[in-house]
Amino acid sequence: MSVFPSSEMAVKVFSGLFTVLLEDADFVAKARQDGLSVRLVHTKPDCEIFVSPQGVRVGEEPAGPAAITLKMSCDTAHALWMGRLPVPVAVATGRLRIRGKVAEVLELVPMLRPAFDRYPEIAAAAGIGP
């Protein structure tokens, strides 16, 4: 059984997480400078989130293609954000599939530090356990 009981819960947690990132001035400045946008496609349960410096959109088609697309199950995303599954292991085992330029992906990971720091608190507030 998935950590997330519904798509609505997954959307609430993951969109909240990326909203936190967009409150980080350094993240927004760097994302604008690099033209960075990320499309997250989560499964089991399904939810899709598009993140750009302009905001977080849920289930909407973006105006243009995302610079990076990340596809994984919600359980994999939860394990990544909790710090229990390193990104390289997720990629190597096929649990995380990435589309986009390698250089952009490598730039993105350090920019996500505030999200990794806040995710356990956001998940706990939504009733999602470790």
Side-chain angles (χ1 to χ4, degrees):
M1 183 170 180
S2 176
V3 171
F4 293 88
S6 66
S7 293
E8 292 79 15
M9 179 63 74
V11 165
K12 177 182 175 181
V13 171
F14 294 121
S15 65
L17 176 66
F18 285 96
T19 299
V20 165
L21 265 180
L22 292 174
E23 293 169 357
D24 181 294
D26 291 336
F27 176 83
V28 173
K30 182 76 170 143
R32 276 199 178 112
Q33 174 186 331
D34 296 345
L36 184 63
S37 58
V38 180
R39 180 175 169 234
L40 299 127
V41 180
H42 291 149
T43 60
K44 302 178 186 175
D46 294 346
C47 77
E48 191 167 322
I49 299 168
F50 182 80
V51 182
S52 72
Q54 290 73 41
V56 175
R57 290 185 289 216
V58 177
E60 295 179 27
E61 286 294 319
I68 300 169
T69 298
L70 304 174
K71 186 171 184 180
M72 68 194 103
S73 72
C74 284
D75 286 352
T76 295
H78 179 71
L80 284 169
W81 292 114
M82 290 298 283
R84 293 194 309 256
L85 177 63
V87 172
V89 172
V91 171
T93 59
R95 292 176 65 187
L96 168 60
R97 285 174 283 171
I98 301 172
R99 278 200 180 144
K101 295 179 182 173
V102 174
E104 289 175 339
V105 173
L106 294 175
E107 287 179 25
L108 176 66
V109 174
M111 292 171 58
L112 297 175
R113 178 56 34 213
F116 281 103
D117 294 344
R118 294 281 305 277
Y119 181 78
E121 165 191 329
I122 292 167
I128 304 298

